[in-house]
Amino acid sequence: EVLLRMHSVGICGSDVHYWQHGRIGSFVVKSPMVLGHEAAGTVLRVGPGVTHLKPGDRVAIEPGVPREMDEFCKSGRYNLSPTIFFCATPPDDGNLCHYYKHNASYCYKLPDNVTFEEGALIEPLSVGIHACRRAGVTLGSKVFVSGSGPIGLVTVLVAKMMGAATVVVTDLSAPRLQKAKEVGADITIQVTKESSQEVASRVEALLGCKPEITVECTGVEACIQAGIYATRSGGTLVLVGLGAELVTVPMVNAASREVDIRGIFRYCNTWPMAIALLASKRIDVRPLVTHRFPLERALEAFETTRRGEGVKVMLKCDPTDQNP
């Protein structure tokens, strides 16, 4: 393990959900829990078996650490391990604090030209990487991203990086769609009161065809329906957003057109790739950070996120260094 002085921790929608509702699905908060899982900090001390890190190293933290070498770990899909430790998922504490210890193998050294905030943003960026991998995004892909929140935005970034020819994004919010344009979306559609089939028709009309890949980042029933209707026959729909446990979807439409529906659960094996992309400046996540608060103003920061203001709210945990 390593002991870290925490520097930057992003607030995720799941953090807010636990704070407001005390549970997400089967994960229930039963006792006080530290939040925070999008994080970067500085190594203060290393355990006796740690050789790849030393005090003073700046690191990004992968929050999910397998507790045992089970079948999922052996196959490289450790994110599916049922006993995995995960920051800020009950009962495991997160890292929104001044000092935090973590498994050294899941702390990744940051190059000098990658900031702490970029390091913290590797966590949401990893969701985009994992989603685009599961979707099979490749050179020339036409991609529909439903939702322009932080995860929708990183999905746009990654899809373009992986070679997508055209990315169309839908959302209710005009400011969020403007941010999607800034990070590389080719087409944006502001949804109002259209039916799911009408949304799908608008996507097809503006794209000139049905997209072969849809990445659904809202979890909203109507958006999942639109995703199925919009996706080209033989294409792939990846479900990223989490909403109600039971939803009504046009399953016969999907089945009869061989639309593959895939889920994702967090990510795996993404930090080295993300660090390489950030260090080479092939991807720029810095525009996602719209608000910064010192740790002492955490409540204000959480309220800002809950109200849906900006894109990514970052908490600064080191009182001696509030820089990005």
mmCIF file of all heavy atoms in Angstrom, residues 241-281:
data_model
loop_
_atom_site.group_PDB
_atom_site.id
_atom_site.type_symbol
_atom_site.label_atom_id
_atom_site.label_comp_id
_atom_site.label_asym_id
_atom_site.label_seq_id
_atom_site.Cartn_x
_atom_site.Cartn_y
_atom_site.Cartn_z
ATOM 1 N N GLY A 241 -25.705 4.610 -18.596
ATOM 2 C CA GLY A 241 -26.462 5.288 -17.544
ATOM 3 C C GLY A 241 -27.300 4.305 -16.746
ATOM 4 O O GLY A 241 -27.822 3.320 -17.287
ATOM 5 N N LEU A 242 -27.414 4.571 -15.442
ATOM 6 C CA LEU A 242 -28.209 3.715 -14.566
ATOM 7 C C LEU A 242 -29.445 4.477 -14.098
ATOM 8 O O LEU A 242 -29.337 5.568 -13.542
ATOM 9 C CB LEU A 242 -27.386 3.272 -13.348
ATOM 10 C CG LEU A 242 -26.132 2.442 -13.647
ATOM 11 C CD1 LEU A 242 -25.368 2.171 -12.364
ATOM 12 C CD2 LEU A 242 -26.512 1.140 -14.331
ATOM 13 N N GLY A 243 -30.623 3.882 -14.324
ATOM 14 C CA GLY A 243 -31.862 4.508 -13.881
ATOM 15 C C GLY A 243 -32.685 3.520 -13.091
ATOM 16 O O GLY A 243 -32.175 2.840 -12.200
ATOM 17 N N ALA A 244 -33.964 3.433 -13.416
ATOM 18 C CA ALA A 244 -34.863 2.517 -12.710
ATOM 19 C C ALA A 244 -34.432 1.066 -12.943
ATOM 20 O O ALA A 244 -33.877 0.723 -13.987
ATOM 21 C CB ALA A 244 -36.290 2.718 -13.201
ATOM 22 N N GLU A 245 -34.711 0.226 -11.938
ATOM 23 C CA GLU A 245 -34.308 -1.178 -12.041
ATOM 24 C C GLU A 245 -35.048 -1.891 -13.168
ATOM 25 O O GLU A 245 -34.484 -2.737 -13.859
ATOM 26 C CB GLU A 245 -34.570 -1.891 -10.707
ATOM 27 C CG GLU A 245 -34.037 -3.310 -10.668
ATOM 28 C CD GLU A 245 -34.140 -3.951 -9.295
ATOM 29 O OE1 GLU A 245 -34.552 -3.267 -8.348
ATOM 30 O OE2 GLU A 245 -33.811 -5.140 -9.191
ATOM 31 N N LEU A 246 -36.318 -1.542 -13.367
ATOM 32 C CA LEU A 246 -37.121 -2.150 -14.429
ATOM 33 C C LEU A 246 -37.563 -1.065 -15.412
ATOM 34 O O LEU A 246 -38.093 -0.035 -14.998
ATOM 35 C CB LEU A 246 -38.347 -2.846 -13.842
ATOM 36 C CG LEU A 246 -38.075 -4.060 -12.946
ATOM 37 C CD1 LEU A 246 -39.375 -4.545 -12.307
ATOM 38 C CD2 LEU A 246 -37.421 -5.186 -13.738
ATOM 39 N N VAL A 247 -37.314 -1.303 -16.706
ATOM 40 C CA VAL A 247 -37.747 -0.353 -17.736
ATOM 41 C C VAL A 247 -38.455 -1.114 -18.855
ATOM 42 O O VAL A 247 -38.204 -2.301 -19.071
ATOM 43 C CB VAL A 247 -36.549 0.444 -18.332
ATOM 44 C CG1 VAL A 247 -35.934 1.353 -17.296
ATOM 45 C CG2 VAL A 247 -35.510 -0.486 -18.926
ATOM 46 N N THR A 248 -39.340 -0.414 -19.540
ATOM 47 C CA THR A 248 -40.051 -0.983 -20.682
ATOM 48 C C THR A 248 -39.335 -0.565 -21.959
ATOM 49 O O THR A 248 -39.133 0.629 -22.197
ATOM 50 C CB THR A 248 -41.501 -0.472 -20.712
ATOM 51 O OG1 THR A 248 -42.147 -0.829 -19.482
ATOM 52 C CG2 THR A 248 -42.268 -1.084 -21.881
ATOM 53 N N VAL A 249 -38.915 -1.551 -22.739
ATOM 54 C CA VAL A 249 -38.173 -1.248 -23.965
ATOM 55 C C VAL A 249 -38.739 -2.061 -25.133
ATOM 56 O O VAL A 249 -39.327 -3.134 -24.926
ATOM 57 C CB VAL A 249 -36.661 -1.550 -23.822
ATOM 58 C CG1 VAL A 249 -36.029 -0.637 -22.784
ATOM 59 C CG2 VAL A 249 -36.412 -3.003 -23.472
ATOM 60 N N PRO A 250 -38.564 -1.574 -26.365
ATOM 61 C CA PRO A 250 -39.061 -2.303 -27.548
ATOM 62 C C PRO A 250 -38.149 -3.479 -27.888
ATOM 63 O O PRO A 250 -37.383 -3.442 -28.851
ATOM 64 C CB PRO A 250 -39.056 -1.229 -28.638
ATOM 65 C CG PRO A 250 -37.981 -0.280 -28.231
ATOM 66 C CD PRO A 250 -37.984 -0.260 -26.726
ATOM 67 N N MET A 251 -38.263 -4.536 -27.097
ATOM 68 C CA MET A 251 -37.342 -5.662 -27.223
ATOM 69 C C MET A 251 -37.509 -6.413 -28.538
ATOM 70 O O MET A 251 -36.528 -6.880 -29.119
ATOM 71 C CB MET A 251 -37.532 -6.622 -26.037
ATOM 72 C CG MET A 251 -36.411 -7.630 -25.876
ATOM 73 S SD MET A 251 -34.793 -6.844 -25.692
ATOM 74 C CE MET A 251 -34.902 -6.215 -24.027
ATOM 75 N N VAL A 252 -38.740 -6.532 -29.020
ATOM 76 C CA VAL A 252 -38.963 -7.233 -30.296
ATOM 77 C C VAL A 252 -38.290 -6.470 -31.435
ATOM 78 O O VAL A 252 -37.680 -7.059 -32.329
ATOM 79 C CB VAL A 252 -40.473 -7.413 -30.565
ATOM 80 C CG1 VAL A 252 -40.706 -7.957 -31.974
ATOM 81 C CG2 VAL A 252 -41.091 -8.345 -29.531
ATOM 82 N N ASN A 253 -38.353 -5.138 -31.377
ATOM 83 C CA ASN A 253 -37.687 -4.319 -32.384
ATOM 84 C C ASN A 253 -36.187 -4.603 -32.388
ATOM 85 O O ASN A 253 -35.577 -4.808 -33.446
ATOM 86 C CB ASN A 253 -37.956 -2.839 -32.093
ATOM 87 C CG ASN A 253 -37.298 -1.903 -33.089
ATOM 88 O OD1 ASN A 253 -36.087 -1.746 -33.104
ATOM 89 N ND2 ASN A 253 -38.114 -1.279 -33.936
ATOM 90 N N ALA A 254 -35.597 -4.646 -31.187
ATOM 91 C CA ALA A 254 -34.156 -4.902 -31.083
ATOM 92 C C ALA A 254 -33.810 -6.316 -31.537
ATOM 93 O O ALA A 254 -32.853 -6.526 -32.292
ATOM 94 C CB ALA A 254 -33.696 -4.683 -29.647
ATOM 95 N N ALA A 255 -34.600 -7.282 -31.086
ATOM 96 C CA ALA A 255 -34.304 -8.685 -31.394
ATOM 97 C C ALA A 255 -34.448 -8.979 -32.883
ATOM 98 O O ALA A 255 -33.600 -9.652 -33.484
ATOM 99 C CB ALA A 255 -35.225 -9.591 -30.584
ATOM 100 N N SER A 256 -35.516 -8.461 -33.485
ATOM 101 C CA SER A 256 -35.776 -8.778 -34.889
ATOM 102 C C SER A 256 -34.796 -8.075 -35.824
ATOM 103 O O SER A 256 -34.649 -8.467 -36.986
ATOM 104 C CB SER A 256 -37.215 -8.389 -35.261
ATOM 105 O OG SER A 256 -37.411 -6.993 -35.099
ATOM 106 N N ARG A 257 -34.118 -7.043 -35.317
ATOM 107 C CA ARG A 257 -33.127 -6.350 -36.142
ATOM 108 C C ARG A 257 -31.687 -6.669 -35.701
ATOM 109 O O ARG A 257 -30.738 -6.050 -36.158
ATOM 110 C CB ARG A 257 -33.377 -4.842 -36.106
ATOM 111 C CG ARG A 257 -34.714 -4.448 -36.708
ATOM 112 C CD ARG A 257 -34.852 -2.937 -36.940
ATOM 113 N NE ARG A 257 -34.669 -2.164 -35.716
ATOM 114 C CZ ARG A 257 -33.596 -1.400 -35.457
ATOM 115 N NH1 ARG A 257 -32.592 -1.319 -36.328
ATOM 116 N NH2 ARG A 257 -33.515 -0.719 -34.335
ATOM 117 N N GLU A 258 -31.545 -7.634 -34.800
ATOM 118 C CA GLU A 258 -30.229 -8.058 -34.311
ATOM 119 C C GLU A 258 -29.399 -6.893 -33.765
ATOM 120 O O GLU A 258 -28.201 -6.774 -34.039
ATOM 121 C CB GLU A 258 -29.455 -8.814 -35.404
ATOM 122 C CG GLU A 258 -30.118 -10.128 -35.787
ATOM 123 C CD GLU A 258 -29.246 -11.007 -36.661
ATOM 124 O OE1 GLU A 258 -28.061 -10.666 -36.897
ATOM 125 O OE2 GLU A 258 -29.747 -12.063 -37.114
ATOM 126 N N VAL A 259 -30.057 -6.047 -33.002
ATOM 127 C CA VAL A 259 -29.337 -4.978 -32.295
ATOM 128 C C VAL A 259 -28.782 -5.572 -30.997
ATOM 129 O O VAL A 259 -29.544 -6.052 -30.156
ATOM 130 C CB VAL A 259 -30.269 -3.781 -31.988
ATOM 131 C CG1 VAL A 259 -29.549 -2.755 -31.101
ATOM 132 C CG2 VAL A 259 -30.741 -3.132 -33.280
ATOM 133 N N ASP A 260 -27.475 -5.569 -30.868
ATOM 134 C CA ASP A 260 -26.846 -6.098 -29.659
ATOM 135 C C ASP A 260 -26.953 -5.075 -28.539
ATOM 136 O O ASP A 260 -26.567 -3.909 -28.711
ATOM 137 C CB ASP A 260 -25.361 -6.396 -29.907
ATOM 138 C CG ASP A 260 -25.150 -7.573 -30.844
ATOM 139 O OD1 ASP A 260 -26.124 -8.300 -31.107
ATOM 140 O OD2 ASP A 260 -24.014 -7.758 -31.303
ATOM 141 N N ILE A 261 -27.472 -5.514 -27.394
ATOM 142 C CA ILE A 261 -27.575 -4.632 -26.225
ATOM 143 C C ILE A 261 -26.542 -5.087 -25.199
ATOM 144 O O ILE A 261 -26.576 -6.232 -24.743
ATOM 145 C CB ILE A 261 -28.993 -4.668 -25.629
ATOM 146 C CG1 ILE A 261 -30.016 -4.214 -26.669
ATOM 147 C CG2 ILE A 261 -29.068 -3.784 -24.381
ATOM 148 C CD1 ILE A 261 -31.460 -4.345 -26.210
ATOM 149 N N ARG A 262 -25.619 -4.193 -24.868
ATOM 150 C CA ARG A 262 -24.538 -4.534 -23.946
ATOM 151 C C ARG A 262 -24.537 -3.578 -22.752
ATOM 152 O O ARG A 262 -24.776 -2.386 -22.914
ATOM 153 C CB ARG A 262 -23.182 -4.440 -24.647
ATOM 154 C CG ARG A 262 -23.014 -5.429 -25.770
ATOM 155 C CD ARG A 262 -21.620 -5.390 -26.344
ATOM 156 N NE ARG A 262 -21.392 -6.517 -27.229
ATOM 157 C CZ ARG A 262 -20.194 -6.881 -27.684
ATOM 158 N NH1 ARG A 262 -19.116 -6.183 -27.353
ATOM 159 N NH2 ARG A 262 -20.073 -7.919 -28.480
ATOM 160 N N GLY A 263 -24.229 -4.108 -21.595
ATOM 161 C CA GLY A 263 -24.063 -3.273 -20.415
ATOM 162 C C GLY A 263 -22.593 -3.023 -20.160
ATOM 163 O O GLY A 263 -21.716 -3.668 -20.746
ATOM 164 N N ILE A 264 -22.316 -2.034 -19.303
ATOM 165 C CA ILE A 264 -20.946 -1.907 -18.789
ATOM 166 C C ILE A 264 -21.023 -1.708 -17.271
ATOM 167 O O ILE A 264 -22.002 -1.162 -16.752
ATOM 168 C CB ILE A 264 -20.147 -0.744 -19.426
ATOM 169 C CG1 ILE A 264 -20.619 0.614 -18.933
ATOM 170 C CG2 ILE A 264 -20.159 -0.818 -20.928
ATOM 171 C CD1 ILE A 264 -19.599 1.709 -19.131
ATOM 172 N N PHE A 265 -20.003 -2.179 -16.587
ATOM 173 C CA PHE A 265 -19.890 -1.963 -15.150
ATOM 174 C C PHE A 265 -18.526 -1.346 -14.881
ATOM 175 O O PHE A 265 -17.494 -2.023 -14.944
ATOM 176 C CB PHE A 265 -20.064 -3.269 -14.383
ATOM 177 C CG PHE A 265 -20.125 -3.082 -12.888
ATOM 178 C CD1 PHE A 265 -21.101 -2.269 -12.315
ATOM 179 C CD2 PHE A 265 -19.215 -3.708 -12.062
ATOM 180 C CE1 PHE A 265 -21.159 -2.094 -10.939
ATOM 181 C CE2 PHE A 265 -19.272 -3.539 -10.685
ATOM 182 C CZ PHE A 265 -20.241 -2.736 -10.119
ATOM 183 N N ARG A 266 -18.532 -0.037 -14.681
ATOM 184 C CA ARG A 266 -17.303 0.713 -14.428
ATOM 185 C C ARG A 266 -16.324 0.567 -15.590
ATOM 186 O O ARG A 266 -16.591 1.029 -16.684
ATOM 187 C CB ARG A 266 -16.693 0.294 -13.085
ATOM 188 C CG ARG A 266 -17.621 0.561 -11.904
ATOM 189 C CD ARG A 266 -17.119 -0.118 -10.636
ATOM 190 N NE ARG A 266 -18.008 0.145 -9.507
ATOM 191 C CZ ARG A 266 -18.073 -0.625 -8.428
ATOM 192 N NH1 ARG A 266 -17.316 -1.705 -8.332
ATOM 193 N NH2 ARG A 266 -18.888 -0.318 -7.443
ATOM 194 N N TYR A 267 -15.210 -0.172 -15.389
ATOM 195 C CA TYR A 267 -14.126 -0.225 -16.384
ATOM 196 C C TYR A 267 -13.070 -1.207 -15.889
ATOM 197 O O TYR A 267 -13.078 -1.643 -14.727
ATOM 198 C CB TYR A 267 -13.467 1.153 -16.541
ATOM 199 C CG TYR A 267 -13.453 1.894 -15.222
ATOM 200 C CD1 TYR A 267 -12.663 1.437 -14.156
ATOM 201 C CD2 TYR A 267 -14.276 2.975 -15.002
ATOM 202 C CE1 TYR A 267 -12.711 2.055 -12.921
ATOM 203 C CE2 TYR A 267 -14.327 3.606 -13.757
ATOM 204 C CZ TYR A 267 -13.542 3.137 -12.731
ATOM 205 O OH TYR A 267 -13.597 3.732 -11.497
ATOM 206 N N CYS A 268 -12.141 -1.543 -16.756
ATOM 207 C CA CYS A 268 -10.960 -2.315 -16.345
ATOM 208 C C CYS A 268 -9.847 -2.070 -17.363
ATOM 209 O O CYS A 268 -10.114 -1.823 -18.538
ATOM 210 C CB CYS A 268 -11.270 -3.811 -16.222
ATOM 211 S SG CYS A 268 -11.915 -4.569 -17.725
ATOM 212 N N ASN A 269 -8.621 -2.084 -16.872
ATOM 213 C CA ASN A 269 -7.437 -1.951 -17.733
ATOM 214 C C ASN A 269 -7.469 -0.686 -18.595
ATOM 215 O O ASN A 269 -7.206 -0.740 -19.805
ATOM 216 C CB ASN A 269 -7.301 -3.191 -18.636
ATOM 217 C CG ASN A 269 -7.300 -4.486 -17.842
ATOM 218 O OD1 ASN A 269 -6.477 -4.673 -16.955
ATOM 219 N ND2 ASN A 269 -8.239 -5.363 -18.131
ATOM 220 N N THR A 270 -7.784 0.442 -17.980
ATOM 221 C CA THR A 270 -7.896 1.686 -18.740
ATOM 222 C C THR A 270 -6.892 2.768 -18.320
ATOM 223 O O THR A 270 -6.619 3.666 -19.107
ATOM 224 C CB THR A 270 -9.307 2.286 -18.598
ATOM 225 O OG1 THR A 270 -9.593 2.457 -17.201
ATOM 226 C CG2 THR A 270 -10.363 1.392 -19.231
ATOM 227 N N TRP A 271 -6.374 2.717 -17.099
ATOM 228 C CA TRP A 271 -5.528 3.825 -16.614
ATOM 229 C C TRP A 271 -4.258 4.041 -17.451
ATOM 230 O O TRP A 271 -3.972 5.193 -17.813
ATOM 231 C CB TRP A 271 -5.185 3.626 -15.133
ATOM 232 C CG TRP A 271 -6.011 4.493 -14.227
ATOM 233 C CD1 TRP A 271 -5.598 5.595 -13.533
ATOM 234 C CD2 TRP A 271 -7.403 4.345 -13.915
ATOM 235 N NE1 TRP A 271 -6.644 6.137 -12.818
ATOM 236 C CE2 TRP A 271 -7.764 5.389 -13.033
ATOM 237 C CE3 TRP A 271 -8.392 3.445 -14.301
ATOM 238 C CZ2 TRP A 271 -9.049 5.550 -12.533
ATOM 239 C CZ3 TRP A 271 -9.682 3.599 -13.811
ATOM 240 C CH2 TRP A 271 -10.001 4.645 -12.940
ATOM 241 N N PRO A 272 -3.503 2.998 -17.805
ATOM 242 C CA PRO A 272 -2.302 3.248 -18.620
ATOM 243 C C PRO A 272 -2.621 3.909 -19.956
ATOM 244 O O PRO A 272 -1.923 4.849 -20.380
ATOM 245 C CB PRO A 272 -1.713 1.844 -18.809
ATOM 246 C CG PRO A 272 -2.185 1.080 -17.604
ATOM 247 C CD PRO A 272 -3.578 1.588 -17.354
ATOM 248 N N MET A 273 -3.685 3.448 -20.631
ATOM 249 C CA MET A 273 -4.081 4.046 -21.903
ATOM 250 C C MET A 273 -4.480 5.509 -21.704
ATOM 251 O O MET A 273 -4.063 6.394 -22.465
ATOM 252 C CB MET A 273 -5.264 3.281 -22.507
ATOM 253 C CG MET A 273 -5.829 3.950 -23.757
ATOM 254 S SD MET A 273 -7.459 3.330 -24.184
ATOM 255 C CE MET A 273 -7.047 1.729 -24.839
ATOM 256 N N ALA A 274 -5.275 5.783 -20.673
ATOM 257 C CA ALA A 274 -5.741 7.145 -20.424
ATOM 258 C C ALA A 274 -4.568 8.085 -20.138
ATOM 259 O O ALA A 274 -4.519 9.212 -20.648
ATOM 260 C CB ALA A 274 -6.731 7.161 -19.265
ATOM 261 N N ILE A 275 -3.617 7.628 -19.343
ATOM 262 C CA ILE A 275 -2.447 8.459 -19.022
ATOM 263 C C ILE A 275 -1.644 8.755 -20.280
ATOM 264 O O ILE A 275 -1.199 9.888 -20.505
ATOM 265 C CB ILE A 275 -1.576 7.777 -17.939
ATOM 266 C CG1 ILE A 275 -2.307 7.808 -16.592
ATOM 267 C CG2 ILE A 275 -0.208 8.460 -17.813
ATOM 268 C CD1 ILE A 275 -1.633 6.990 -15.500
ATOM 269 N N ALA A 276 -1.482 7.754 -21.141
ATOM 270 C CA ALA A 276 -0.743 7.960 -22.393
ATOM 271 C C ALA A 276 -1.446 8.982 -23.282
ATOM 272 O O ALA A 276 -0.802 9.835 -23.896
ATOM 273 C CB ALA A 276 -0.587 6.629 -23.130
ATOM 274 N N LEU A 277 -2.781 8.917 -23.346
ATOM 275 C CA LEU A 277 -3.543 9.857 -24.165
ATOM 276 C C LEU A 277 -3.447 11.281 -23.619
ATOM 277 O O LEU A 277 -3.327 12.244 -24.371
ATOM 278 C CB LEU A 277 -5.013 9.432 -24.240
ATOM 279 C CG LEU A 277 -5.310 8.176 -25.060
ATOM 280 C CD1 LEU A 277 -6.754 7.730 -24.859
ATOM 281 C CD2 LEU A 277 -5.031 8.411 -26.533
ATOM 282 N N LEU A 278 -3.484 11.413 -22.289
ATOM 283 C CA LEU A 278 -3.392 12.742 -21.673
ATOM 284 C C LEU A 278 -1.981 13.313 -21.824
ATOM 285 O O LEU A 278 -1.813 14.496 -22.127
ATOM 286 C CB LEU A 278 -3.775 12.663 -20.194
ATOM 287 C CG LEU A 278 -5.248 12.349 -19.906
ATOM 288 C CD1 LEU A 278 -5.437 12.058 -18.423
ATOM 289 C CD2 LEU A 278 -6.150 13.480 -20.347
ATOM 290 N N ALA A 279 -0.973 12.463 -21.627
ATOM 291 C CA ALA A 279 0.416 12.927 -21.712
ATOM 292 C C ALA A 279 0.771 13.368 -23.131
ATOM 293 O O ALA A 279 1.517 14.341 -23.325
ATOM 294 C CB ALA A 279 1.365 11.827 -21.247
ATOM 295 N N SER A 280 0.210 12.669 -24.133
ATOM 296 C CA SER A 280 0.507 13.009 -25.533
ATOM 297 C C SER A 280 -0.391 14.135 -26.054
ATOM 298 O O SER A 280 -0.240 14.562 -27.194
ATOM 299 C CB SER A 280 0.317 11.771 -26.413
ATOM 300 O OG SER A 280 -1.042 11.367 -26.401
ATOM 301 N N LYS A 281 -1.328 14.584 -25.191
ATOM 302 C CA LYS A 281 -2.279 15.656 -25.546
ATOM 303 C C LYS A 281 -3.219 15.248 -26.678
ATOM 304 O O LYS A 281 -3.755 16.105 -27.375
ATOM 305 C CB LYS A 281 -1.541 16.969 -25.899
ATOM 306 C CG LYS A 281 -0.590 17.447 -24.804
ATOM 307 C CD LYS A 281 -1.276 17.603 -23.469
ATOM 308 C CE LYS A 281 -0.334 18.018 -22.352
ATOM 309 N NZ LYS A 281 -0.971 17.954 -21.008
#
